[in-house]
């Protein structure tokens, strides 16, 4: 998506100086700032102390082994 | 190789986060269901929520291989089911899932065997990931 922005002289100057300081294009520095803004929203999410359910089956080694055995049996039956 | 975007999700407080969620079509016999799966490299296995299994036509009592899962899923019984999974423009692959009695759980794509069938590279800073068959 292409986006056209009308920047104030001050904002333009700020972006140009940021880009020059980092050695990247104005477009790149603007994208990085947008990404940083979105990521800081996520950090607020963590800082709020919200309780989130974690459903990942960590270290379910026995289940994984059983499932692989069933999968291999299924593949062997298909090959017959 | 195909590229997918992270999906923005809102919690109950209206706060925004981003997750690597993949659209995938699951097929079992004559039934197919389009679902969204969470790419979870920390998950030992794929997890299929109870209602999704019912939609695909699985009957709980006919699945005879019982599993014990871990974490919050440990409190729910699970059984093994095998199906086809189709992603993007790629050929379908055989996927094995732990079909859980839990209903309020996301469909999880984990090590066994999603990440054995697909190579995924995460570009979190770009809110995107690349995926290709092994």
């Amino acid at each position: 998506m292409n986006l056209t922005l009308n920047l104030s002289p001050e904002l333009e100057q700020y972006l140009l100086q940021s880009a020059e300081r980092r050695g990247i294009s104005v477009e790149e520095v603007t994208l990085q700032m947008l990404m940083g803004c979105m990521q800081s929203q996520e950090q607020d999410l963590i800082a709020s102390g919200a309780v989130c359910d974690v459903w990942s089956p960590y270290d379910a080694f026995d289940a994984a082994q059983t499932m692989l055995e069933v999968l291999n049996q299924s593949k062997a039956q298909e090959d017959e | 190789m195909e590229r997918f975007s992270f999906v923005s999700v809102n919690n109950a407080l209206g706060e925004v986060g981003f997750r690597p969620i993949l659209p995938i079509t699951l097929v079992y016999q004559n039934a197919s269901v389009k679902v969204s799966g969470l790419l979870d490299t920390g998950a030992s296995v794929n997890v299929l929520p109870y209602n999704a299994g019912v939609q695909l036509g699985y009957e709980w009592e006919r699945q005879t291989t019982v599993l014990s899962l871990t974490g919050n899923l440990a409190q729910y019984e699970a059984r093994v089911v095998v199906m086809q999974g189709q992603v993007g423009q790629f050929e379908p692959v055989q996927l094995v899932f732990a079909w859980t009695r839990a209903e309020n759980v996301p469909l999880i794509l984990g090590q066994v065997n999603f990440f054995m069938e697909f190579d995924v590279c995460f570009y979190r800073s770009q809110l995107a990931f690349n995926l290709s068959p092994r």
Side-chain angles (χ1 to χ4, degrees):
Chain A
M1 172 185 174
N2 293 320
L3 191 64
T4 302
L5 302 173
N6 292 320
L7 304 176
S8 67
E10 294 78 15
L11 188 52
E12 179 184 355
Q13 189 64 19
Y14 175 78
L15 289 173
L16 283 170
Q17 287 175 349
S18 295
E20 187 178 344
R21 194 166 51 246
R22 298 182 200 188
I24 58 178
S25 68
V26 169
E27 290 79 14
E28 187 59 37
V29 81
T30 306
L31 277 173
Q32 287 183 4
M33 288 181 181
L34 278 174
M35 290 295 298
C37 182
M38 289 198 306
Q39 286 165 7
S40 68
Q41 277 188 304
E42 283 189 282
Q43 286 167 358
D44 290 343
L45 183 69
I46 296 168
S48 71
V51 175
C52 303
D53 286 330
V54 175
W55 293 105
S56 286
Y58 298 125
D59 295 345
F61 302 126
D62 288 344
Q65 184 62 36
T66 301
M67 288 167 66
L68 280 174
E69 288 169 3
V70 171
L71 183 63
N72 289 335
Q73 286 169 11
S74 175
K75 288 183 176 178
Q77 284 170 1
E78 277 187 6
D79 290 343
E80 286 176 0
Chain B
M1 186 268 289
E2 287 196 32
R3 190 170 176 94
F4 298 87
S5 297
F6 277 53
V7 173
S8 65
V9 289
N10 291 348
N11 67 4
L13 300 175
E15 296 159 321
V16 177
F18 297 93
R19 295 181 192 158
I21 291 177
L22 178 72
I24 181 170
T25 300
L26 301 178
V27 180
Y28 176 63
Q29 294 184 339
N30 295 323
S32 78
V33 176
K34 290 184 180 179
V35 295
S36 295
L38 174 68
L39 298 188
D40 186 354
T41 57
S44 299
V45 299
N46 300 331
V47 176
L48 183 72
Y50 183 72
N51 290 334
V54 170
Q55 276 187 282
L56 282 164
Y58 288 105
E59 295 177 40
W60 184 258
E61 289 71 24
R62 298 192 68 173
Q63 312 314 315
T64 56
T65 307
V66 177
L67 296 170
S68 293
L69 296 180
T70 55
N72 282 329
L73 286 169
Q75 59 190 297
Y76 301 95
E77 192 178 341
R79 298 185 179 182
V80 182
V81 290
V82 179
M83 66 191 74
Q84 294 284 308
Q86 197 268 323
V87 173
Q89 301 301 312
F90 303 124
E91 289 296 310
V93 297
Q94 206 164 22
L95 294 177
V96 60
F97 279 85
W99 183 23
T100 175
R101 269 292 199 180
E103 295 181 2
N104 294 328
V105 58
L107 190 141
I108 295 174
L109 301 171
Q111 296 291 337
V112 173
N113 66 322
F114 181 82
F115 287 106
M116 296 170 71
E117 290 294 337
F118 293 97
D119 294 329
V120 182
C121 194
F122 295 92
Y123 296 91
R124 178 59 176 82
S125 63
Q126 299 171 32
L127 294 178
F129 57 94
N130 291 345
L131 180 146
S132 56
R134 62 178 169 90

